[in-house]
Amino acid sequence: MRKKFSIGRIIVYAFLFLYALVVAAPLFLMIITSLKENLEFMKAPLALPQGMNLSGYASVFSNEQFFRSILNSAVVALVSLAVSLTVSILLSYALARYRGRWVRRWYLFFLVGMIVPIRLGVLFLNDMFNKLGLLNSLWGLICIYTAMSIPFSMFILTGYIKMIPAELDDAAFIDGCSTARMIPQIIVPLIKPALATVAIYNFLPIWNDMYFPLIFIFDNEKRTFMQYVTTFYGQYYTDYNLIFSALTFATMVSLVFYAFGSRSLVKGLTAGALKG
C-alpha cells in the first residue's frame, strides 16, 4: 500500500511539474524576447538573448502615451470591479436570503450571462452607446466590463453567502441593525475569500482585453494599455522588442494583482461553487 501510494504521488507531482513547464514556457519566451533586438529575434526566436538589451523597456517607459494608457486601464479596471462587486454583493444577498419563485428565475437569468458571450451583442452595444453618447468614452467600457463581471460574481458570492447562517442576520436585526448596515459590517468581512476570488477572476480579462477598446475607443488619449500595444504593429515593420517589453510589463501587473489575493482564490472558488 505504501509503495503504490508513493508511486501515485510521484506520478501526480510529475504531471504537475510538466504542466507548470507548459504554463511557464510562454512567459519565459516572452521575457527573453523582450531582451533581444529585432534582428536577433528573427534569426533565433527560441534562443537565449546574447545580451541584456533593455532598449524596449526604455522606449516604452519614456513614452508619455504609455503612462496615459496605464492610467486609463487602471481607471476602467478598478471602477468596473468596484461597481460590479457592489452590485453583486447586494444581488447575491437577496438571492441567498429570500425565497420565492422569482428568486430562482432571477438566479437562472444571471447564470445565462455566464453562457452567452457579450461579444454577440457588439452591434446592439454600438447603437446603444451611440444614442447614450458613450462611444469613445471610458464609461462605455466600464459599463461593458461591469455587465461581464456580474454573472460570475453573483454565482460565487451567492453560494458563499448561503454558507453563512441566517440566524446571524436575525441576531443583527434584533440588536437594531438595519440591512444597509449589516451587509457591509457583517456579511462582507465573512466573504472576503470569495471577494478576492471574484476580484482576481474579473480583473485579468478586463486588464488584458483588447477587443472592446479597439471597437469603442477612437482617441489616442483614451486608449487602454493593451490597445496602446497594438500601435507597435506596423504594416511593413514590427518592433517585437517593444511589443514584448510592453507585454511583459502588463503580465507583471497581473501577477502582482494575483499575488495579493492568491491565498483566498482556491478557498473562495471551492466554497462558493460547492454551495451554489
Side-chain angles (χ1 to χ4, degrees):
M1 291 290 295
R2 184 177 302 175
K3 184 177 181 181
K4 292 182 180 179
F5 180 72
S6 300
I7 294 176
R9 292 191 63 179
I10 291 174
I11 294 175
V12 170
Y13 283 124
F15 174 78
L16 293 176
F17 178 75
L18 292 176
Y19 180 76
L21 290 179
V22 172
V23 173
L27 299 177
F28 177 74
L29 183 61
M30 177 183 63
I31 294 174
I32 65 173
T33 304
S34 68
L35 301 176
K36 296 179 181 179
E37 296 182 356
N38 264 7
L39 183 60
E40 184 182 355
F41 172 73
M42 294 293 185
K43 291 182 178 179
L46 300 180
L48 294 175
Q50 298 178 356
M52 296 289 290
N53 180 24
L54 301 177
S55 60
Y57 294 97
S59 300
V60 168
F61 285 101
S62 62
N63 194 330
E64 182 181 354
Q65 184 65 30
F66 166 79
F67 296 100
R68 185 181 293 111
S69 63
I70 287 292
L71 179 61
N72 292 337
S73 290
V75 169
V76 169
L78 295 179
V79 173
S80 300
L81 284 180
V83 175
S84 64
L85 286 178
T86 302
V87 174
S88 298
I89 290 172
L90 300 177
L91 175 64
S92 301
Y93 180 81
L95 295 177
R97 288 293 188 256
Y98 295 102
R99 296 291 181 268
R101 185 180 302 176
W102 64 271
V103 176
R104 186 67 178 176
R105 291 177 179 176
W106 275 106
Y107 184 78
L108 295 176
F109 172 77
F110 282 99
L111 281 183
V112 172
M114 298 176 59
I115 303 173
V116 180
I118 195 172
R119 295 185 179 184
L120 294 178
V122 168
L123 295 178
F124 171 77
L125 288 173
N126 185 75
D127 294 338
M128 183 177 66
F129 285 171
N130 187 31
K131 294 178 181 179
L132 297 175
L134 294 177
L135 279 178
N136 194 33
S137 171
L138 296 180
W139 288 107
L141 295 180
I142 291 173
C143 292
I144 293 175
Y145 294 139
T146 300
M148 289 173 50
S149 305
I150 288 177
F152 177 80
S153 304
M154 179 277 306
F155 174 69
I156 295 297
L157 295 179
T158 300
Y160 217 92
I161 293 176
K162 286 182 179 179
M163 298 176 61
I164 302 175
E167 290 78 10
L168 190 63
D169 300 6
D170 298 335
F173 292 145
I174 293 175
D175 292 337
C177 185
S178 63
T179 303
R181 183 180 175 185
M182 181 198 61
I183 292 178
Q185 294 187 0
I186 298 178
I187 300 298
V188 171
L190 294 176
I191 60 174
K192 283 184 178 180
L195 292 177
T197 300
V198 169
I200 293 173
Y201 186 88
N202 291 326
F203 174 82
L204 297 181
I206 294 175
W207 176 261
N208 296 321
D209 184 55
M210 187 186 302
Y211 181 79
F212 289 110
L214 285 175
I215 295 176
F216 296 114
I217 300 298
F218 316 129
D219 293 345
N220 295 338
E221 296 157 353
K222 298 179 181 179
R223 285 175 175 169
T224 60
F225 180 71
M226 295 307 297
Q227 187 182 9
Y228 164 70
V229 173
T230 60
T231 61
F232 300 153
Y233 293 89
Q235 183 177 1
Y236 303 106
Y237 177 78
T238 300
D239 193 341
Y240 292 100
N241 177 260
L242 202 61
I243 292 172
F244 283 97
S245 298
L247 293 178
T248 300
F249 173 81
T251 304
M252 291 300 107
V253 173
S254 301
L255 291 177
V256 169
F257 189 86
Y258 172 81
F260 282 103
S262 58
R263 293 183 179 180
S264 304
L265 179 61
V266 176
K267 182 180 179 181
L269 275 174
T270 54
L274 288 176
K275 192 65 177 179

